[in-house]
Amino acid sequence: MENWFSAKFTDTFLIMIPSMISSTTCIFSVLSLLSGTPAWSQGKDPVTTECRALMRTDGNLSIPKLTFDMHGELQMTASATSSINDFDFLVGKWKMYNRRLNKRLENCTEWTEFISYDDNQKILSGTADIDTYRTTEMPGLDGKSFEGVTIRLFNPKTRLWSLYWVASDVGVLDPPVVGSFENNVGHFFAKDTFQGKKIIMMFRWDARNKDKPVWGQAFSTDQGKTWEWNWYNVSLRTE
């Protein structure tokens, strides 16, 4: 009797789905719940294919050549169009599709995909902005809540942006990546260390499509001659 009821309920529920749900995205979500696997990880979310195509290194975008002073410090000069309004496109709330390299600087080719959410607002009388990044899917944290905060400050004298990041599982501000936008693409750099190795860290913000901005992170161990990309995300506006 119990098995008959369970089967009958399932059959009835499946018949009801088309009338209950009109959008393709929602159908995929319900089917993923029935299978016990999120639609995003199955690759069945209609947004997935488009986002995956964006979460790759764009060969049409070049990385600015780095220069160093006599002490080996990065020399940064703002682009001619660098502006205090360059990050205005990020204000609001976003759902983010992430693709993250499993191991960095180890010739790894395996990636993990996951979802996160982000809230961004202007601060300091509109001269800076701050966002909070949230997810329970961060690789290696076994479903624990993860938050990160980015503070972006614009220096009106140098016209350079400095981006500061702090993660909830570390609690220490990373060195700021510094740079500017040109033609709606921003590159930001910092000297840092990763697992004892000296690196140059780069953030890239590709805002050519402000409705689907793409962020990427890369490391270089040879002063910027070559780069390993280790994280991408595509943002879709929710508000």
Side-chain angles (χ1 to χ4, degrees), residues 54-61 99 204 229 232:
L54 293 172
M55 291 189 293
R56 298 286 190 276
T57 302
D58 188 336
N60 295 318
L61 294 178
R99 182 171 181 259
R204 172 189 280 169
W229 291 92
Y232 304 93

Side-chain angles (χ1 to χ4, degrees), residues 56-75:
R56 298 286 190 276
T57 302
D58 188 336
N60 295 318
L61 294 178
S62 60
I63 299 172
K65 184 178 179 180
L66 299 181
T67 58
F68 301 85
D69 65 20
M70 65 177 61
H71 303 293
E73 298 301 318
L74 281 164
Q75 292 183 310

Side-chain angles (χ1 to χ4, degrees), residues 150-208:
T150 303
I151 302 172
R152 302 178 181 90
L153 304 177
F154 182 78
N155 185 324
K157 293 182 178 179
T158 64
R159 293 184 301 106
L160 289 168
W161 282 93
S162 296
L163 282 54
Y164 295 83
W165 163 261
V166 59
S168 59
D169 61 338
V170 177
V172 177
L173 278 172
D174 283 351
V177 289
V178 179
S180 61
F181 277 84
E182 188 168 19
N183 297 322
N184 292 312
V185 179
H187 289 94
F188 308 89
F189 303 91
K191 294 179 69 175
D192 203 349
T193 58
F194 178 76
Q195 295 182 347
K197 298 178 181 179
K198 293 182 178 180
I199 64 167
I200 303 293
M201 178 168 58
M202 174 178 61
F203 287 4
R204 172 189 280 169
W205 270 107
D206 179 357
R208 289 175 297 175

Side-chain angles (χ1 to χ4, degrees), residues 11-24 26-27 30:
D11 291 342
T12 303
F13 183 66
L14 289 173
I15 291 171
M16 292 171 62
I17 286 176
S19 61
M20 293 168 59
I21 305 165
S22 58
S23 73
T24 303
C26 290
I27 290 173
V30 171

Side-chain angles (χ1 to χ4, degrees), residues 6 8-9 13 18 28 73 128 130 178 197:
S6 177
K8 197 69 176 175
F9 175 80
F13 183 66
F28 280 128
E73 298 301 318
I130 185 169
V178 179
K197 298 178 181 179

